[in-house]
Amino acid sequence: MTPRPDVRSLIGHSTAPPRRKPVRKTAGVALLATATVLASTASAIAGPTTTGSAAGPATTGSAAGATAASAQTGGSSELSTTTRLADRRSLVVGDRAYAMGDESGLYPASGWHIRGEMGGFWTQPIKLLDGLWFGLDGNWLGKDVAAAKYTSGHGYSRIDYSGSVAVRRTDFVPDGVRATLVGLTLSSSTAKTVKLAVDAHSELMQSYPWGWTAPGAADANLPDTGAYADGALRFQEQGTPTYPNATAHDYAAFVGSSLRPTAHALGPNHRGPQDPAVICPADGTTPARCDDSLVGKGTGGQLTYDVNLKPGQQKTIWFAVAGSDQGASAAQREYGKALSNPEKLLKAKASERKQIDAQSAVDLPGDRLLQQSVEWSKQNLADSVQESHNLRIRDVNEGKDYPAPVGTVPTARWFGAGFPDYPWLFATDGEYTAYAAVAAGQFDTVKQHLRALRDVSDILNNRSGKVAHEVTPTGDVYFGSNQSAGNTDETVKFPSTVALLWRWTGDNRFRDEMYDFSVRNLQYVYRELDKDGDGWPEGLANVERAGMGVEKLDSTVYLARGLRDLADLAASKHDSTVQQWATTRANDLESRFEAQWWVPQAMGYADSIDSPTDPANDNTPIFQRHWIGVTPMEAVLVRPGQSNAPLASADHAKTALDQRETSCYTGEFGLFHTGTGPTSDPAGNKGDACDSVVSQVQSERAIFSLNTSIMAVAEGNFGRLGTKQQQVYTTGNARIQLDPTVWETPGAMPEIAPSPDSPANIGRPFYDRSMALQAWGAYGILWPVIHQQLGVDPDLGHGRVSVIPQLPQGQHKVAGSNIRVGRGSVDVSERLTGKELRTDVTVKGVGASVTIGAVLPSGAKVRSVTLDGRSAAYKLVTTTRGVEVQVPARGASSALKITLA
């Protein structure tokens, strides 16, 4: 099983590691015969950056040092860095293609699923090129001509080079096109003709098999051929691998420009300054930087151009890398789309990203870093969307089998888990990411992700109800079939994710579409994963470590939530049978939870129960300090007639959260995977001890952005928004994304923060790193701000919305606008001025009853309440967040003023 947040604390395995907008049609395919000179787009997007927070020198490692100029004004659509560019990964993504190199413009071999092959240019489900290199008058950009600055933008990247000819490189991927576009903007103070050389090295291969599987990548990858025609390099891989059940394939990649070349060359190399290629090791980390893999079978080519420059003139030449897994004709069509009007495509990309930026826009004057992280997390989600066609579904049984496919999914679209090694379909990642996505108003991709999971799972598992864990863009399912031991947590989370979408959108058609599968999810768990009949679900879950029991905490917590959500869905459909079935089990589970799972001496919940070494059904709690111990406080249950609340009791939640805030569990950037304390591990305790329980496992002080997200959300569920509470964890995730002293790729939330047991990516070989961009980290930014601080809580399935903000400790204003709810939106602002707490809410296009209010500051009492200037009746409701003032809104816009005693 490939690594997941549970087990991916050591990255870089050469053998099998432990587990883990509509398509745009661009008219015309004729190639431009001359250079495209951009007047507006180049100056607006490829022009000089003025971002101060990232372009300026880093003077501090603190969060304050990360905010600087742009954060002080609430963010910028660009972030730049000038240091160690050759050690940083670059990334541009569209829904049909993506590309990764380094930030100097070179292409070190990257990634570890197929060691050294996960970077370069891709269009799901295949890789196209190892890289694309540019040389001016015999000097290669990135090597002979050093990169001066790298800039991340919303949907694009840019590299600036200085010299007698100034060069600005702009990369982006147009959505709906299987191509990456690279624009070189050249300018000179004197008239000259520049000899421009472009090298391309192909590596046509599919995303599965991998390096350690059977069959492996070396078996599946066939030799590429290269050719030149009509001004473009054309690469193909055709044939049938020799292992059983392999099928014939025809992969093709086109590389060319909007300018006609004056010469071309073909040959086995053509990697620019990376010739001759250094081959990545099969094992170990020497050499630390390499250019190709042991399984590489690509070939190369060069295109040469004469570019005439006039004094002071900027000239942009566009290059396309396009391809298809459906042969040369299909690849040529994509190539034509890309080069028919690059400027128009770039403007469209910028326009789409501005729309994303305008949704869930926030103003957080007390935490500008978090405000900026909201902005970039929305972009990170958009950068994670992937699509593949004709997925042939087969169970490859953790890389041990390769049977004939059992069915085909025509189209799948999803949030890719992480780049470069996990840009495919996961249940775990998608279910956590869904909470961030709905808060960002990105409903459609969540729906598509869930549809893809259902379609794949039903084909794979013969409609058993079990959810597949990991699905590659080819359709190969690495883990999650009926024969796999898990993942129980993913199956029980599915109904909750459906309910989440239904509440935020009010989309009954989507509810109905997903309902049958949601019912079968939980029926499967009780039929197959509760063999001892005690109600605690069995099977693998988010964390698998030595000594764990058969029944896991996170599966139990998410089952409790799933049962309540399924009962709610069933009630809305008047399905009393399922409603009663789910409610009965939820009541039983909740009534026994605290007595079974709470471990007083640990000041926390057991990670698992029921030791597999004991033949008796002992249900002995096993405490190992894993991050899943926070899930009872993170998962909120919807119970009829009650305020929504997490599964954990209030008293136990306070104790457990206080404990997780200590140095045994929390580091500089967030929550450790596994906390420190007494252990029987021979290496002994590596850190502080905060309880007396002796664990069987060693601590793992790796800080995953997901673990930190779970903690941030849990703190918010209990109104713990203080500087030493939720803000520790939102700041941690924001810093690894936005702090120039910490980030690798500016603006990208990575998988793992620099941690005591997981060194920073920037110092590790490119083939031995965790993900540069991981979608799930946005959960710990967008949900705490939109849902908890701004208090936006739709329940459109039942025709109601509540907006009850809570000000973080020490802050006096939070505000958000254009927060998508159904087909409309919500604007909300809360201010505290002296003794006056004011909430302003505007609801547009939402056909629902609206309740507004505020969470009172701790210990505060109400003197009076007015709504739109008139005295108003109100409720005081005690929830896990604190005491809420609740008032029915009277119109589309409401101004609530609470005067405190």
Side-chain angles (χ1 to χ4, degrees), residues 40 63 138 179 185 286 312 542 578 592 624 644 820 826:
S40 57
T185 301
T286 303
N542 276 294
V578 169
R592 297 185 291 120
Q624 296 179 325
N644 298 344
R820 282 191 70 192
V826 170

Side-chain angles (χ1 to χ4, degrees), residues 664-680:
C664 291
Y665 292 96
T666 293
E668 181 179 3
F669 298 110
L671 189 71
F672 295 147
H673 179 286
T674 304
T676 62
T679 177
S680 60

Side-chain angles (χ1 to χ4, degrees), residues 109-194:
S110 300
W112 52 267
H113 265 107
I114 307 172
R115 200 173 217 215
E117 294 289 1
M118 304 308 291
F121 293 77
W122 288 76
T123 177
Q124 303 290 16
I126 62 170
K127 182 175 181 176
L128 303 177
L129 299 186
D130 284 328
L132 188 70
W133 296 265
F134 298 93
L136 268 65
D137 294 330
N139 298 305
W140 292 105
L141 300 182
K143 181 64 180 294
D144 304 315
V145 180
K149 180 169 61 178
Y150 175 85
T151 300
S152 292
H154 290 181
Y156 63 92
S157 68
R158 187 175 66 248
I159 305 174
D160 290 324
Y161 305 89
S162 59
S164 60
V165 176
V167 182
R168 178 163 293 136
R169 172 178 172 165
T170 302
D171 292 37
F172 79 102
V173 183
D175 290 324
V177 183
R178 302 183 72 177
T180 298
L181 281 162
V182 181
L184 284 190
T185 301
L186 310 178
S187 63
S188 171
S189 61
T190 62
K192 62 174 56 183
T193 298
V194 175

Side-chain angles (χ1 to χ4, degrees), residues 290-326:
C290 49
D291 307 302
D292 206 347
S293 77
L294 287 166
V295 304
K297 298 176 184 177
T299 190
Q302 183 177 94
L303 301 172
T304 305
Y305 305 85
D306 289 335
V307 183
N308 298 316
L309 299 178
K310 296 179 181 180
Q313 177 197 43
Q314 285 191 338
K315 180 173 285 190
T316 297
I317 306 101
W318 284 103
F319 299 85
V321 176
S324 176
D325 56 334
Q326 300 298 310

